[in-house]
Amino acid sequence: MSASIESFAGRVVRCERLREDREVQGDVVIVGTGAGGGVAAEILARAGLKVILVEAGDFKTRADFHMQEAEAYPELYQEVASRKTMDKAITILQGRALGGSTTVNWTICFYIPEPTLKHWAGRYGLGMFDEQELSPWYEEMEKRLRVQLWTRHNPSNLALQRGAKKLNWKHEIAHRNVHNCRSLGYCGTGCPVDAKQSMLITTIPGALQKGAMLLTRCRADRLKWKDGRVEMLECSALDSKGSDTTGVRIRVRARHFVVAGGGIESPALLMRSQVPDPSALLGRRTFLHLTAGSAAMMSERIDPYYGAPQSVYSNEFLWRDGVDGEVGYKMETAPLHPVLAATAFKAWGQAHAGFMHQIPHIQPLIALLRDGFHEDSPGGRVHLRDDGTAVLDYPITDYLWRGARAAFASMAELQFAAGANKVLPLHSDARLYGNWKQARKAIADLPMQPLHAQLFSAHVMGGCMMGPDPERSVVDTDGNHHQIENLSVIDGSLFPTSIGANPSMPIYALAARQASRLAKRIRS
């Protein structure tokens, strides 16, 4: 067990308070404190290495989490929770906080599905990632993060379960990484009781306890490299809101550099640093688990803002046409708080007020499309704006639109089976439908176009693809850069496709594997 992060305030440099430039030095610098960076930091620090963590987010603890969306979205998410793809068609919910997305995720845990591993082995030469290889790392992280089967379902998850049972569809109970959870339902705004076993209360204090240093409100600008080795990381101090730089520069020197900023920020840092990219894959093949939603109006109270957000799921259509056939999708519930609801319902005036008034009786479903397994699902590409910040271009192909339409239909069918009075697909041209037959016909005619279908993502993967062949990947199967000797990537940007399940646990496990190998390599 680790002491609370508040105990190590003396090892934290809050860069918004710096008044002059600073240079620090360690054995390993890690950019990003989320699922990849947090796990790597603790393992490397335990190995006796001096670790320096660099985080653009603010130093926040449970005392700062008040279950208020108006506070949480500006302070804990990328671009005030309004990060979007280049064409504005997809909203990307991604953490920008101490602990990364693990501070604001909904705690559901899955392994990489077996069909995904087989696809990676056959298509990308990643046969080493089989069940035998991954099991010890899953077990280690499940113990560290107190992963447990969760059976206290809220009414929203019970409705999913009821609908799936009635239709005889596959459905399972999920695991979560929580301890003494009070079922408050506000996981997305930061856990105010430290029940969520995020990096914020587990591996980051664990690393600090072993002597690590943490720099917050510190933006990694670029890596300075020469003759195949990184010499230094150049950073800018951010102001207290994290929106502008203060003019103070921080230079970080180390023997090894780990990039763990996630599926958009990691490739962006490498692109700004102009590292070699002979495979031309850096920033490409970025995947989102493109997500569609559906809202059911129920007679009973659902109170979709209370309870564990996700505890039941259905894989009925995840592999519906084989691994590389028509795109499959996983169905889950989602929490629905007032600000999220206000943006989800595309209506005006009295109609919008009517939707908001019904929130206690709304049961939300989401469907996550498994992208990247078919030639018509090549993923997105990270670009750099003129100021060096990153933006994702993610074209939605006809193949993905077909999947989105099928997902809207499946969600409506399940919700009517669960007892819905009416169902609203989250699409600007849709309206409330009173029965499954009416909904099926209407969904078949909805225009599947950007900005009509309301799509979002909370799972950014890819962009620094791993593989054994330097001509077909950015890093090797341990995350080590093929061309830069002392540079590694440890996060979900390594994945060659999406995985078909919420990715936090696979990132934890792969990070544990990578960091353990890296520690041996550095110490030798």
Side-chain angles (χ1 to χ4, degrees):
M1 293 295 295
S2 305
S4 68
I5 196 165
E6 294 94 331
S7 308
F8 304 104
R11 305 202 62 79
V12 180
V13 178
R14 303 183 69 162
C15 293
E16 73 273 20
R17 300 175 179 175
L18 296 179
R19 294 295 173 262
E20 56 185 25
D21 294 352
R22 179 173 289 196
E23 181 166 317
V24 295
Q25 188 160 352
D27 293 316
V28 185
V29 57
I30 301 175
V31 181
T33 60
V39 170
E42 182 174 51
I43 291 172
L44 292 168
R46 282 179 175 174
L49 298 166
K50 183 179 179 182
V51 173
I52 300 173
L53 282 157
V54 173
E55 172 56 57
D58 200 0
F59 183 82
K60 298 284 187 184
T61 70
R62 61 183 174 183
D64 300 302
F65 303 145
H66 305 122
M67 302 193 300
Q68 295 293 323
E69 291 175 282
E71 291 178 4
Y73 296 154
E75 295 178 359
L76 304 177
Y77 286 80
Q78 289 282 359
E79 301 180 28
V80 199
S82 295
R83 170 169 270 187
K84 293 184 182 296
T85 49
M86 189 177 287
D87 62 359
K88 315 296 184 190
I90 307 167
T91 300
I92 301 172
L93 294 172
Q94 197 172 18
R96 189 200 193 213
L98 185 57
S101 291
T102 73
T103 299
V104 293
N105 72 14
W106 299 337
T107 72
I108 195 168
C109 295
F110 295 103
Y111 291 178
I112 302 175
E114 185 178 348
T116 300
L117 292 176
K118 288 183 177 177
H119 181 75
W120 288 3
R123 186 69 62 88
Y124 302 106
L126 297 174
M128 66 289 295
F129 294 111
D130 57 16
E131 182 179 347
Q132 183 177 5
E133 171 65 22
L134 293 177
S135 289
W137 304 108
Y138 283 134
E139 290 173 10
E140 177 178 328
M141 294 314 303
E142 285 174 335
K143 183 178 179 182
R144 180 70 181 95
L145 304 179
R146 303 183 180 216
V147 175
Q148 58 182 284
L149 191 70
W150 192 261
T151 57
R152 288 157 48 192
H153 309 306
N154 67 8
S156 187
N157 281 278
L158 286 172
L160 192 165
Q161 188 179 56
R162 185 167 65 247
K165 276 184 178 178
K166 190 167 183 180
L167 294 167
N168 198 27
W169 288 0
K170 297 174 186 172
H171 60 283
E172 303 286 344
I173 298 173
H175 290 73
R176 304 177 64 216
N177 59 310
V178 293
H179 178 63
N180 288 334
C181 177
R182 277 75 155 178
S183 295
L184 299 174
Y186 283 73
C187 302
T189 59
C191 183
V193 294
D194 278 353
K196 182 194 300 185
Q197 301 297 290
S198 68
M199 301 303 97
L200 181 62
I201 70 161
T202 56
T203 59
I204 295 174
L208 295 175
Q209 194 171 26
K210 292 296 181 180
M213 173 187 286
L214 170 63
L215 310 177
T216 59
R217 283 290 187 233
C218 185
R219 188 187 71 189
D221 293 331
R222 62 187 54 80
L223 299 158
K224 300 292 287 187
W225 60 276
K226 183 180 179 182
D227 298 330
R229 288 185 61 84
V230 179
E231 297 179 333
M232 179 174 62
L233 173 69
E234 293 184 335
C235 305
S236 296
L238 298 173
D239 62 16
S240 58
K241 292 183 178 179
S243 56
D244 296 300
T245 58
T246 64
V248 171
R249 307 283 297 165
I250 302 107
R251 289 176 290 277
V252 188
R253 298 183 185 275
R255 296 160 60 191
H256 198 93
F257 294 78
V258 173
V259 176
I264 292 177
E265 296 303 325
S266 283
L269 174 57
L270 299 188
M271 292 164 70
R272 287 196 298 272
S273 306
Q274 299 182 333
V275 301
D277 179 28
S279 68
L281 283 169
L282 180 59
R284 296 175 184 260
R285 292 191 63 76
T286 301
F287 301 102
L288 294 176
H289 280 161
L290 198 62
T291 302
S294 183
M297 311 298 163
M298 312 293 278
S299 298
E300 71 273 25
R301 284 187 73 99
I302 297 295
D303 294 332
Y305 26 75
Y306 291 144
Q310 298 177 316
S311 59
V312 178
Y313 62 96
S314 173
N315 284 348
E316 176 70 19
F317 300 99
L318 186 57
W319 310 102
R320 61 184 178 131
D321 194 27
V323 174
D324 53 2
E326 288 294 305
V327 63
Y329 43 89
K330 186 183 197 76
M331 289 192 289
E332 301 172 343
T333 58
L336 193 64
H337 298 102
V339 175
L340 274 182
T343 58
F345 298 129
K346 297 301 181 187
W348 308 96
Q350 289 298 321
H352 192 270
F355 283 128
M356 296 300 291
H357 183 70
Q358 294 184 65
I359 287 179
H361 293 269
I362 291 177
Q363 193 274 331
L365 271 187
I366 57 174
L368 289 63
L369 273 62
R370 175 177 55 79
D371 50 348
F373 293 76
H374 189 279
E375 61 183 9
D376 291 332
S377 178
R381 180 182 177 184
V382 176
H383 294 266
L384 297 180
R385 300 184 182 97
D386 291 343
D387 64 356
T389 58
V391 61
L392 178 66
D393 180 24
Y394 188 99
I396 306 174
T397 62
D398 290 343
Y399 170 82
L400 292 172
W401 282 126
R402 290 198 302 274
R405 189 188 301 281
F408 278 128
S410 297
M411 289 187 284
E413 184 175 9
L414 187 147
Q415 288 171 317
F416 280 118
N421 298 318
K422 295 180 180 178
V423 168
L424 176 71
L426 297 183
H427 186 293
S428 61
D429 296 9
R431 58 184 177 83
L432 283 167
Y433 304 117
N435 57 63
W436 162 230
K437 183 178 179 182
Q438 184 186 37
R440 180 173 56 185
K441 184 176 185 304
I443 291 169
D445 293 333
L446 287 175
M448 289 295 150
Q449 299 171 2
L451 307 178
H452 286 254
Q454 295 160 236
L455 302 174
F456 72 98
S457 167
H459 304 156
V460 186
M461 296 157 281
C464 297
M465 179 175 155
M466 64 178 169
D469 185 352
E471 295 185 357
R472 298 180 59 208
S473 55
V474 176
V475 298
D476 68 17
T477 55
D478 284 339
N480 301 316
H481 195 272
H482 283 303
Q483 285 80 35
I484 302 291
E485 182 183 354
N486 61 337
L487 174 62
S488 302
V489 178
I490 300 181
D491 60 24
S493 69
L494 302 176
F495 298 161
T497 67
S498 71
I499 65 170
N502 306 52
S504 59
M505 176 51 68
I507 297 174
Y508 299 141
L510 288 180
R513 176 184 181 273
Q514 288 178 259
S516 298
R517 291 177 173 231
L518 179 60
K520 290 180 181 177
R521 178 182 159 199
I522 294 174
R523 290 177 62 84
S524 67

